[in-house]
Amino acid sequence: MQRIHNVTQLADLDDDALARCYAYPRELAGPWLRANFVSSIDGAFAVDGVSKGLGTDADHRVFHVLRELAEVILVGAGTVRAENYGGAHPDPERRRAHFRHGIGGSADGAPPPIAVVTASARLDPAAKLFTDAETPPLIITTAHAEAERVDALRAAGARIVVAGEAAITATSLVRVLAEHGLHRVLCEGGPHLFGQLAEAGLVDELCLSTSPVLVGGAGGRISLSASGFDLPMARKQLVLAEDGTVLARWARR
Ligand SMILES: NC(=O)c1ccc[n+]([C@@H]2O[C@H](COP(=O)([O-])OP(=O)(O)OC[C@H]3O[C@@H](n4cnc5c(N)ncnc54)[C@H](OP(=O)(O)O)[C@@H]3O)[C@@H](O)[C@H]2O)c1
């Protein structure tokens, strides 16, 4: 009988053990790009325009542990608008503990900033992203964004970085994170942002929760890009939840 390695039952893992399963590499000379998505069995990334309908308790556990570990949460403006993103609020003591163990977190327990990629800067300065953030968001935008919009986001407390003319290349994006010393990256989507990062060969790791549901519809997939690509991945770990959720961690080969 063939033995399958690195398969764990979620019920056997307490929160510390789960965090160790998702440890970032200890020594990082530059950004390590981890993405996290939830999908239905038939590949949908959203139901009625949001991912909430796909979430399970198991997916939520991993979602929160990944946020505890990350130094920055990178997200496309489409997702911020669709999901009305707020700031991240991981437990400060757990962040400090992860940092002490060298697996992620932060020395002072402060939450990771949300870094939003937006060509247009079309974000509402009164939104939760600004009003509900302990750590100010980082807005990565372009020279084409309207100056008044950018000024309003700055006035709402955001740090602003202009990283392209009309769009930001995936390489520029990763460079901005490196320049800010943000190495443990957690990209929470959406599919357009993730597709560009994957197309550029910059995704180191994908954490994918598959929810035990079929949803049909005409929606897209978790990775959308202008052209197709072939990025071989290796399965690093499978965590199985009692409710049927499959939590997979894939790394670039
Ligand atoms: N299932 C999941 O785990 C999951 C995770 C995340 C999101 N989602 C779902 O995905 C949907 C949103 O995803 P999406 O693919 O439409 O949007 P997205 O990737 O989150 O955001 C796209 C937007 O990001 C900005 N952007 C992306 N690439 C850029 C670049 N190279 N240069 C400058 N700006 C760039 C642009 O913003 P501007 O238009 O402001 O210029 C663009 O419109 C929602 O339905 C959400 O619920 C699901």
Side-chain angles (χ1 to χ4, degrees), residues 118-121 141-150 162-167:
T118 169
S120 68
T141 189
T142 65
H144 277 206
E146 278 180 28
E148 300 87 76
R149 278 192 183 144
V150 175
V162 175
E165 272 302 309

Side-chain angles (χ1 to χ4, degrees), residues 36-38 45-46 49-51 54 76-79 81-83 117-122 142 167-168 188-193 196:
N36 181 37
F37 276 93
V38 60
F45 65 83
V50 288
S51 57
L54 299 172
T79 297
R81 291 188 287 259
E83 308 261 351
V117 186
T118 169
S120 68
R122 192 166 58 81
T142 65
I168 304 153
E188 291 185 343
H192 283 98
L193 177 60
Q196 292 170 68

Side-chain angles (χ1 to χ4, degrees), residues 213-234:
V213 63
L214 296 166
V215 301
R221 300 171 297 129
I222 66 162
S223 163
L224 297 170
S225 62
S227 17
F229 52 84
D230 180 10
L231 184 59
M233 305 290 280

